[in-house]
């Protein structure tokens, strides 16, 4: 049997004082998207949906200032059969979790790519070109992306397909960029740090070495600054085969000098041993112009590639964060619609409303909503606090109230 519904009662977002003040507040306080929490609820229409809305505002704003409220406009969607709605309710719950996870992944990767510069990240986390608070509080169904002539199941499948594509693309792009970034960081790490560990290729010159000699070799030695005078006194006597006055300071860091010294090849092992005994560290280094040139070219190539990829990657993340977030809020709208029809029955007559709770009065707001709507479901009478331990009910996983309720948590970033 197909449940046919008459047209929705008109529930336009009228410019009530309550509604208008919301946007004035948001424009004043939300120049950059504010990470915040919303409660998306629905209640059956009284004589009109407008009365339901006004009753909520009276209970939560006029008397207590417990929340900032906005109407949440859901279009006249196709109801379909009861069996489909029941099955869809479970599918949408899973889709909600999946889409939220993709939204968070894209947001977090934006943070990683922008090197955790919080302001820059949030400037790029927009939905349809506006901050998240504005998008949610002024939500309008996207008829072009999700045609309401389609069945609810088809719309949910369109959303799932689009977000799955974003998830797959993100994995591929992140993998490519992370490999590039990792290789560049490894090379940069080689060229940073102390003289004991860093690459010496950028420091030394050809003139610092005796090259192409059958008998002589030039070694590089890291000498602690506090031992430099000892080095100058001793290096010619560490073995019998040192070239006199062959040591010069080539570079220095906070703790050490880098010195060269030339000696006979047959004395290298003995020299290394004696040097170590005197706290002078011989570095393993062979001057090879071709290898050094190749390393430098590789670093330049990686650095150039990273810069080339950075801009397009940020643009892709920005566009696809918007797409995923929009999809997520449409999933919430679908869930409210399906759950409201299942709970409140036909004809379709309910008002969806968005509440932004005040942090300090969240418990009080929950109590006020319970008092307002407890008549809707007597089985929910005992369930005021979702953390209560009631046998047979896993409330820590799924909060249940006499009214339809879904949380939208916009705290999408976990800055370390």
């Amino acid at each position: 049997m197909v449940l046919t519904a008459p047209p929705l009662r008109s529930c336009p977002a009228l410019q009530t004082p309550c509604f208008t003040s919301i946007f004035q507040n948001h424009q004043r306080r939300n120049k950059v998207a504010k990470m915040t929490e919303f409660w998306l609820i629905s209640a059956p229409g009284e004589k009109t949906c407008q009365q339901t809305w006004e009753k909520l505002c009276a209970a939560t704003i006029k008397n207590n200032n417990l929340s900032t409220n906005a109407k949440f406009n859901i279009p006249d969607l196709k109801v379909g059969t009861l069996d489909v709605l029941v099955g869809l309710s479970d599918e949408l719950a899973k889709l909600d979790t999946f889409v939220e996870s993709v939204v968070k992944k894209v947001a977090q990767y934006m943070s990683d790519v922008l090197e955790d510069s919080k302001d820059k990240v949030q400037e790029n986390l927009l939905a349809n070109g506006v901050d998240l608070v504005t998008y949610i509080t002024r939500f309008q169904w996207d008829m072009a992306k999700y045609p309401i002539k389609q069945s609810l199941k088809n719309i949910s499948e369109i959303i799932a397909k689009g977000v799955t594509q974003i998830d797959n693309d993100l994995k591929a792009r992140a993998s490519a960029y992370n490999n590039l970034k990792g290789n560049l960081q490894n090379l940069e790490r080689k060229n940073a740090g102390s003289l004991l560990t860093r690459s010496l290729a950028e420091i030394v010159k050809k003139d610092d070495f005796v090259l192409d000699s059958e008998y002589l070799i030039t070694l590089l030695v890291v000498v602690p600054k506090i031992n430099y005078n000892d080095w100058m006194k001793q290096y010619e006597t560490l073995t019998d085969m040192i070239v006199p006055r062959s040591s010069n300071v080539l570079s220095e860091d906070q703790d050490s000098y880098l010195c060269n010294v030339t000696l006979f090849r047959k004395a290298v092992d003995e020299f290394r041993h004696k040097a170590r005994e005197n706290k002078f560290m011989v570095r393993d280094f062979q001057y090879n112009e071709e290898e050094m040139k190749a390393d430098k070219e590789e670093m330049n190539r990686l650095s150039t590639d990273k810069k080339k990829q950075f801009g397009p990657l940020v643009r892709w993340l920005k566009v696809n964060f918007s797409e995923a977030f929009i999809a997520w809020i449409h999933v919430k709208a679908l869930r409210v619609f399906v759950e409201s029809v299942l709970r409140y029955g036909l004809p379709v007559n309910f008002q969806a409303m968005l509440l932004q709770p005040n942090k300090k009065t969240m418990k009080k707001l929950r109590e006020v909503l319970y008092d307002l709507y407890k008549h809707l479901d007597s089985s929910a009478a005992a369930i005021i606090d979702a953390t209560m331990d009631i046998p047979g009910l896993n409330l820590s996983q799924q909060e249940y109230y006499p009214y339809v309720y879904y949380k939208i948590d916009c705290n999408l970033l976990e800055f370390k």
Side-chain angles (χ1 to χ4, degrees), residues 35-73:
M35 299 297 103
T36 186
E37 180 181 309
F38 290 90
W39 296 357
L40 179 56
I41 71 168
S42 82
E46 309 273 336
K47 287 181 182 175
T48 65
C49 291
Q50 183 62 22
Q51 276 189 333
T52 305
W53 165 247
E54 288 169 359
K55 199 170 174 182
L56 174 83
C57 284
T60 60
I61 296 177
K62 289 177 186 174
N63 300 333
N64 300 305
N65 196 28
L66 298 174
S67 60
T68 305
N69 305 337
K71 285 185 177 180
F72 190 84
N73 295 303

Side-chain angles (χ1 to χ4, degrees), residues 67-109:
S67 60
T68 305
N69 305 337
K71 285 185 177 180
F72 190 84
N73 295 303
I74 300 175
D76 187 4
L77 299 167
K78 281 191 171 184
V79 177
T81 65
L82 183 61
D83 285 349
V84 168
L85 287 180
V86 171
L88 199 55
S89 179
D90 289 337
E91 287 174 24
L92 286 172
K94 293 172 187 170
L95 182 59
D96 190 349
T97 302
F98 169 64
V99 178
E100 180 182 3
S101 75
V102 174
V103 168
K104 286 183 174 178
K105 272 195 270 186
V106 178
Q108 195 59 47
Y109 196 62

